[in-house]
Each structure stands twice: as C-alpha cells, then as structure tokens.
Amino acid sequence: MTPHPPSTPARPPYPPPFAGQGRASASAADPRWARPALLALLLVTAVLYLWSLSASGYANQFYSAAVQAGSESWKAFFFGSSDAANSITVDKPPAALWPMVLSVRLFGLGSWAILVPEALMGVATVGVLFSAVRRRFGAGAGLLAGAALAVTPVAALMFRFNNPDALLCLLMVCAIALVLRALEDGRTKWLVLAGVCFGLGFLTKTLQAWLTLPALAVVYACCAPVALRRRFGQLLLAGLAIVVSGGWWVAIVELWPASSRPYIGGSQHNSFLELTFGYNGFGRISGNETGSVGGGGRPGGGGGGGGWGETGITRLFSSDMGGQISWLLPAALILLVASVCLLWRARRAVAAEQAGQRAEFLVWGGALLMTFTTFSFMSGIFHQYYNIALAPYIAALVGMGAALLWRRGGPIASLVLAVTVAATAGWSYVLLNRSPDWLPWLRWTVLALGLLAALGLLLAARAGRRVALLAAGLGVATALAGPVAYTLDTVDTPKGGSIITAGPSVQGGMGGVRGMRGPGGGGFPGGRQGGMWLGNNGGMPGGGQAGQGLPPGQTGKQGNQGTQGQAPSQGAGGGNQGGRPGFPGAMGGLGERGTGRLRGMGGAMGGLLNGSKVSDKARVLLEKDADDYTWAAAAIGSQNAASYQLATEKPVMAIGGFNGSDPSPTLAQFKKYVADGKVHYFIAGGQGGRGGPGGGKGGSSKITSWVEKTFKKVTVGSATFYDLTRKA
C-alpha cells in the first residue's frame, strides 16, 4: 500500500491582516503597509481635530480666561488663577491649563492658540494607543483601535475643546501603555513612569485620574513576570512616584500663606485638599457637593443621580450618554469576555505569549469596568463629556479582541465575531433612531449592511478568504459609520459653554442640570423648573446682557425658536432676589446651521454655564483707566467675569468663583478692595444670589446689595455697571 503523504497544517479560514503579534518581533514583523497606514491615520485624525478649530471661539470661557491670566502672570500660571491679579483659582488643579498658556505665550491670545494643544493631544493619544495595542496584537489591531478612538464622538468633541479631559485622556493612555511594558519584562522603570503619569493626571483632574489604579495594581501584582516580593516593592515605588509627581504642587499650595495666594476656587474653606476630597472628590460619588450648581444632592446624599440623570447599569446607554460613547461598548464587552475565556487555558507551547495577551485584556478591561461602574452609579455632577475617559479602553478592547478572534478562526471565533458585528449594527440603529430627522437613511443602511456582514462572517470558513475579507471590512465599516457621522456633525458645529455634547439633538435626553428635564436634545432639554421656562429643541432661551433677571416669583418667558443660523431670541431667567437666584441672560447660544437649535449649551444660563456677550461700548468703558486699578471690574461668577476679561484682556474679579457660591471675597474684603481703589466697576447680574445656587456660604448676594445701594449705576446698552469710584 502506498503510504499517505504527511499531513500539512490546515490553512486558517481568515487571512492574516493582524500579523505582527508578539512583543519581541512586532516592529520587524509589521507588514509594509503598516507604517503608511499609521501615518495616514494620524494625518486624518489631525485634520479632523484641527478643522475649523477656531469656530468655537473661546469654547469654555471659564478656562480660556484662566489661560489668558496665566499668559500675563506666572503666579496665575502656577496656581491656575481666573485672573492675572490672582483673586481666585479655577476649581481644578492647573496642569491642563499649562500647555494652553504656553501656546498663548508663544502665539498670542486667540481661539486657535488655546485649542490647538488639545487637538494635538488627541493625535498623540491615538498614536500611543496604536503603539500599545500593536506590541502584542499586531499593526492591524493597533490601527483598528486608533481609528475607533479617533472617531468616537465624545473624543472628537473634547480634543477640540479646552476642558481638562483631553490631557487626562492622553495621560491615562500613556500610563496604561507603560504598565503593559512593565508586564512584559518586569522592569521597574516602566511602572515608575506610569506612576508619574498618574500623578500628573491628578494635577489635571484630581481623583478621576485614579479610577483605574486598583485594577491595574491587582493585574500587575498577579501577572508580572518577577517574584511576588519584587512586585510589591515595584508597586510601592510606583505609588511613591504618584505622590511625588502629583503632590509637590499640592504641598506648595497648602503651605503657601493664604494671604498671598489666590483663593482655591470650588472650596468653602480655601483648601485644595477640601476641593479634592469634597466638591471634586467623594462629593461626585455621593451627590453631596456643597457649593455646586445643582446644590448639595438629595437629602442624605445620593438619590439616584438627582438632576444629573438616573444612575444604574444602563446609564451610559441612555439618550443622554449613548450617542457620546456607547457605539462600540457592547462590542468591547463581548470581545473582552470571549477573549479572556479563550486565553484562560493557555497551551504549554505558547503559554507565555497567551498569558501576556490575557494580562493586556485584563488591564484594558479592568480600566473599562472600573470607569464604567463609577460613571454608572455616581450621584453627583456628571456631564456627558466625562465619557471620553472610556473611549480609549473601548477602542483597545475592540482592536485586540477582533484581532485575536480573527487569527484563531474556527466556528466559535466566527460566531463571536458575527454576534459582535450584529449587536453593534443593532445598537447603532437604536442610537441613530433617537434622532429620527437626522440622516434617516443611515440607520437602516447600517442595520442592513451590518447583518449582512455578520452573515458573511458566519459563512467565511466555507465561502473562502475573499468572502471573509469582504465581510470583515463591511463589518468594520458599519460599526464605525454611526460614530463617524456623529463625529463629522460635531466637528461641523461650533461648541461653547460649560456643558457640551457631541452629535445631533436626541429625543428623550437630559441636559444634565439638576431638576431640568424634558424631551430636548443636546444641551438642555425643554422643560420647566422653578420660575423659568427652558427653551425648545434642547436649548435654553437666549438672553440679553447679564443682569436681566425678573422680580421675585415672576415666571420667565419661553425663548422663541431662532431663525436660520441664529440663536433663539431673548428669554428672561428667574429673579435675583427671593426664591431661586436669577440667571442672567447672555448671548443666546450657537445656532445649529439652518435650524436655530441650540447646540452644546450655546449661551444657555449665561453667566453660569456660558459667558455673557460683551458689546464694544462695554469693552471701551472697562478699558478706560483700567491700568490704574488691580481689577478693571468685578462680577458674580467666573463665566460672567471671564467674558469681560477676555474682551478687555484686563483682570476681572470672579466673585464667588464658578458657581458664585465660594466665600471669596467676603463683603468686608470687597469693601476694603473698593476703599483701596483696587476695583473700578461692578458688573450687575450673575448667578450667585443668596450664596449661590449650590448652597455654599458665599457672600455674593450681600456684595450685590451693598453695591446697588452705595454706588452710581452706569448703563451701557442693555448692560448695567456700577462705578465703584462714585457714590450714589
């Protein structure tokens, strides 16, 4: 009998687009297209994030004013002061401001100079994520992860904005990449450098930077390729690096005499530690945030999120949050579970490599689950844009999981990939259906093609490599179609104010301010609260100049819908005395092109969540003789003060800080400033009122009453000032 020829290994059903796995040979084994593809990805990301960047103006004027102050004063730069005369700081540590300040010092004050560092951080984050994923899973996985991050709507939103979240996201991705390097060879330097990133993250957004620390520490303690005793020693050194890199600034601020530094904004006792563990810390978890915009939470704390949305496991899938971040969240969770199960029992021949891959899934998955759980159940202030923290974790898991299952092949891998694509297409349909009048054809196209791609993946083993490649490409395209559309809409829409959202308006959304509910869309939904009406189509009624409140108990009017390209017309807020403090008007907001809908908060609740519109006459008034005073003017609340400061580039004191509820300055201190000739004008209006809407013990209402009784009123157009050098 003729012997059978020796058997040859069966060809895997899928081609190897994710080739190059393995930490030792990843770079050398990368296919020729890998580097050009990476450069193309980074170029497209840069264009996406830099395109029409200046259309948003000063974006969040609260931070832009602090950037302007830091560009004039190194002391303001160090402390993160709201004005160059250093009356009060922003309610965050200053690290996120420093790159923007340096850019303004280099290029001059302007929207582009402030926002371009944020866009470049976005490009850098995509590059670091690619590098981290590629080391064990190949260039294809890295490209898929990088692309998924780049087109996540909330990422595109925040990498074009001047809130601290852009820098925090970059630092967290760098920290995880360094932890993964430490897991490869057990070298201490990588873990120490990761600790430095976490310390700098603390100086960016305090305790949020440490959400993933427990998961990463546990994974390293269990999986590092060194002796157990050495692992704990390395973790202690990394902890020391966190304390040193994040604590040096805190120590200086706490030891600096309070009389010669600015007041710590957001605290009630002029303490950064109080700000860290209270208003910006555990208060965000429990809802007890003294001095916050929405009050101190429900009685006893917590309470299901109050006006910041219902808490629970479905929170990030809701109308408010879903379109910002959850497009690929089901896929990430499915691929995480499937990949960990697949890698749990590693074969002896490849045990080391599979163990390393499993550790990477545990790192990225642990970071995702820790952040997801915290965001889902925290009862305090929670804005839609916070979800950028989840974007790199989701993108990494999608890229890694897809690559792993693609290479493994077989019926089970085919089934998991098909289910993942089908679930993503179905969820994209749900998200797109929440904006039924916006690109109505897209949701059906995504659903149909996604199901077709899932069917192709199921049949790929029998149909051949071409069908497999076509199905895989179609699956990726349909999975990213919804996020890409949302991202392009976000890039095309100017954003401004303190609360911004990505993508079009959605049905059933909540704007995110306590008690303000209704069927609106991005920004504030329509609805009624207290003595004021909120605007239509997800916006607030526009307003006039600051200070146009109503008498106590009188109901404000609903703002009219704007005409094409314009904001809604003027609507009045509540009264400045009695009941809930009044919110001044401000510019009506940024109109959505062709509809007049407010987007990204526009001018909603001007003076609290966005600045006021400053007329040329008002600017000229404040600039006259401004150099003879320490502060050209004073205003209740940081947003009101920021508008006038950016218009004049002169220091404007923010009485009461962001919410107008901080006890800085007290009435006695303000009287002394006026007596010493340090403040020229007082700008009427502001959201502070009776200690501010947050229930703090600020004296802004007392200062307002004293000024109104004592000094001469000056009216410029619709704005009202008080000349603090002329008695009434």
Side-chain angles (χ1 to χ4, degrees), residues 283-289 294-298 301-312 315 320-321 374-383 510 512-517:
R284 300 292 174 109
I285 304 298
S286 66
N288 290 323
E289 300 155 301
R298 293 185 180 181
W308 305 106
E310 293 300 321
T311 60
R315 185 183 203 178
D320 278 346
M321 309 293 171
T374 303
F375 285 179
S376 295
F377 293 96
M378 61 187 285
S379 297
I381 296 174
F382 183 68
H383 299 313
M510 278 183 54
V513 169
R514 189 175 301 277
M516 297 181 181
R517 299 172 180 266

Side-chain angles (χ1 to χ4, degrees), residues 326-392:
S326 72
W327 299 90
L328 299 177
L329 184 53
L333 296 174
I334 293 171
L335 293 172
L336 171 62
V337 173
S339 300
V340 171
C341 291
L342 184 64
L343 294 169
W344 199 256
R345 293 177 179 242
R347 292 176 296 168
R348 186 181 299 271
V350 291
E353 179 62 24
Q354 290 194 351
Q357 291 178 337
R358 184 174 64 235
E360 291 213 18
F361 275 104
L362 293 176
V363 166
W364 290 108
L368 172 63
L369 294 177
M370 288 293 296
T371 308
F372 175 86
T373 302
T374 303
F375 285 179
S376 295
F377 293 96
M378 61 187 285
S379 297
I381 296 174
F382 183 68
H383 299 313
Q384 292 94 326
Y385 63 79
Y386 290 0
N387 287 303
I388 188 180
L390 293 162

Side-chain angles (χ1 to χ4, degrees), residues 9-19 21 335 342 400-421 452-475:
R11 175 177 292 178
Y14 302 141
F18 296 101
Q21 67 273 20
L335 293 172
L342 184 64
M400 293 159 50
L404 180 68
L405 293 172
W406 179 270
R407 288 199 303 266
R408 288 300 179 95
I412 295 179
S414 299
L415 178 62
V416 173
L417 287 173
V419 169
T420 301
V421 171
L452 181 62
L455 179 62
L457 289 170
L458 278 177
L459 302 176
R462 296 181 179 179
R465 300 171 64 182
R466 286 188 178 181
V467 173
L469 274 175
L470 180 62
L474 187 61

Side-chain angles (χ1 to χ4, degrees), residues 532-591:
M532 60 183 176
W533 280 95
L534 306 187
N536 295 324
N537 294 322
M540 287 278 294
Q545 296 296 326
Q548 297 178 341
L550 292 177
Q554 185 172 339
T555 301
K557 297 180 180 180
Q558 184 178 12
N560 299 322
Q561 182 168 334
T563 57
Q564 180 172 353
Q566 295 178 345
S569 62
Q570 177 178 330
N576 286 328
Q577 298 177 359
R580 191 169 178 82
F583 297 105
M587 56 186 298
L590 302 171

Side-chain angles (χ1 to χ4, degrees), residues 60-70 76-83 86-98 100 162 164 203-204 206 249 253 262-267 270-272 275-276 279-280 638-639 642 645 654 656-659 662:
N60 190 343
Q61 296 188 20
F62 175 58
Y63 292 115
S64 292
V67 171
Q68 183 274 330
F77 171 87
F78 178 80
F79 286 106
S81 301
S82 291
D83 62 86
N86 294 286
S87 63
I88 194 169
T89 70
V90 298
D91 58 3
K92 299 289 187 297
L97 300 173
W98 292 340
M100 293 184 282
N162 60 334
L203 291 182
T204 301
T206 58
W249 183 87
V253 171
Y263 186 92
I264 304 300
S267 72
N270 199 11
S271 168
F272 181 77
L275 173 67
T276 299
Y279 176 71
N280 277 342
S638 295
Q639 289 284 16
Q645 181 170 303
F658 181 82
N659 297 313
D662 299 341

Side-chain angles (χ1 to χ4, degrees), residues 14-30:
Y14 302 141
F18 296 101
Q21 67 273 20
R23 65 182 184 275
S25 59
S27 180
D30 279 347

Side-chain angles (χ1 to χ4, degrees), residues 28-47:
D30 279 347
R32 291 183 178 180
W33 51 260
R35 180 167 295 182
L38 171 62
L39 295 177
L41 172 63
L42 296 179
L43 178 61
V44 170
T45 304
V47 172

